[in-house]
Amino acid sequence: MADPAIALLGYRFSVYTRIVRLVLAEKGLRYDYTEIDPFLPELPCGYEDLHPFGRVPVLVHDGFTLYETAAIARYLDKRFPDPALTPDTPEAVARMQQVIGIVDSYGYRALVRQVFSHLVFRPLQGAASSADEVAQGLRESRRVLRALETIAREGLVLDGETPSLADFHLAPMIDYFIRPQEGAAILQDHPAMVAWWDRVSIRPSVQETRPDLSQVPGG
């Protein structure tokens, strides 16, 4: 489906930008993309008019501007309902929202900012890493994955076969987390999550939106 009225502003290595790209891909939507590096000392002129906190991503559709990834994903799913990425039952919708909440509140820092960043991304940049940050992230990631394992075993969401917004909120973070062998080993201790990832990781949307880490600017 073509919709040239859609514009996405994001950062190529951001898991949150990738979440939106995954939803757009699952919907078959075309869009204009503008790269915004939120870590630069100065953001492009006018960007904070779109996102007052200076982060990514931002979606602009037909004059409607929206930031906060979960809100963007819900908007796209409602605005372009085929295929639907929200479950039919109240229980499954609640679990979907619970997974998104777990990912945002507890998963992102441990999986991405501590484990992936300090073991993979920062070394690619030539920046210093912290063993303490890695240790804390690995410890907390086990708690996060235990919680997600319970939900995956229940089967209302994260079954790998009937995708919801929960799958696409989580997938970019797991994809980064298992880049280092330490993260991959922890995932292997959670069989329901392994089965989920085996199914989700081969989806075309996941394959097509995977960031090319060879493009990380070195120090």
Side-chain angles (χ1 to χ4, degrees):
M1 181 187 301
D3 195 321
I6 299 176
L8 177 65
L9 296 86
Y11 179 52
R12 72 184 72 180
F13 303 116
S14 161
V15 292
Y16 285 105
T17 297
R18 189 179 179 194
I19 290 164
V20 176
R21 292 183 65 210
L22 282 165
V23 174
L24 288 164
E26 289 287 328
K27 300 288 184 178
L29 295 168
R30 294 193 300 174
Y31 56 95
D32 291 327
Y33 178 76
T34 301
E35 179 78 359
I36 300 290
D37 186 344
F39 300 104
L40 291 177
E42 292 187 12
L43 292 169
C45 181
Y47 185 71
E48 289 189 358
D49 294 334
L50 301 176
H51 196 315
F53 303 101
R55 297 190 177 184
V56 291
V58 171
L59 183 86
V60 181
H61 176 233
D62 244 354
F64 178 65
T65 301
L66 189 62
Y67 60 90
E68 293 303 316
T69 302
I72 294 171
R74 290 300 294 263
Y75 170 78
L76 289 171
D77 196 38
K78 189 72 172 179
R79 184 65 179 78
F80 303 97
D82 184 26
L85 298 177
T86 299
D88 294 330
T89 69
E91 293 81 3
V93 171
R95 285 288 187 245
M96 180 187 78
Q97 288 300 123
Q98 186 178 34
V99 168
I100 292 170
I102 290 169
V103 169
D104 285 344
S105 297
Y106 315 109
Y108 172 68
R109 176 171 171 76
L111 303 177
V112 179
R113 297 293 292 177
Q114 293 181 306
V115 175
F116 169 75
S117 180
H118 283 269
L119 287 176
V120 177
F121 198 80
R122 291 176 68 85
L124 287 173
Q125 292 181 305
S129 297
S130 166
D132 287 343
E133 286 289 312
V134 172
Q136 292 171 18
L138 292 172
R139 183 168 59 249
E140 185 61 23
S141 70
R142 291 184 175 90
R143 177 155 52 167
V144 170
L145 285 169
R146 281 198 303 270
L148 295 173
E149 177 79 2
T150 299
I151 292 171
R153 285 181 176 176
E154 180 187 47
L156 290 174
V157 294
L158 302 184
D159 63 3
E161 297 178 357
T162 52
S164 76
L165 295 177
D167 296 273
F168 303 117
H169 214 86
L170 176 59
M173 303 199 194
I174 294 296
D175 199 11
Y176 270 175
F177 177 67
I178 63 174
R179 296 290 182 108
Q181 62 181 7
E182 294 90 339
I186 290 175
L187 181 66
Q188 290 300 315
D189 292 334
H190 302 83
M193 287 300 297
V194 170
W196 167 80
W197 180 244
D198 285 345
R199 297 186 184 103
V200 168
S201 63
I202 61 174
R203 295 185 70 85
S205 64
V206 176
Q207 296 286 327
E208 293 163 6
T209 61
R210 179 165 286 129
D212 182 359
L213 295 182
S214 69
Q215 297 179 1
V216 174

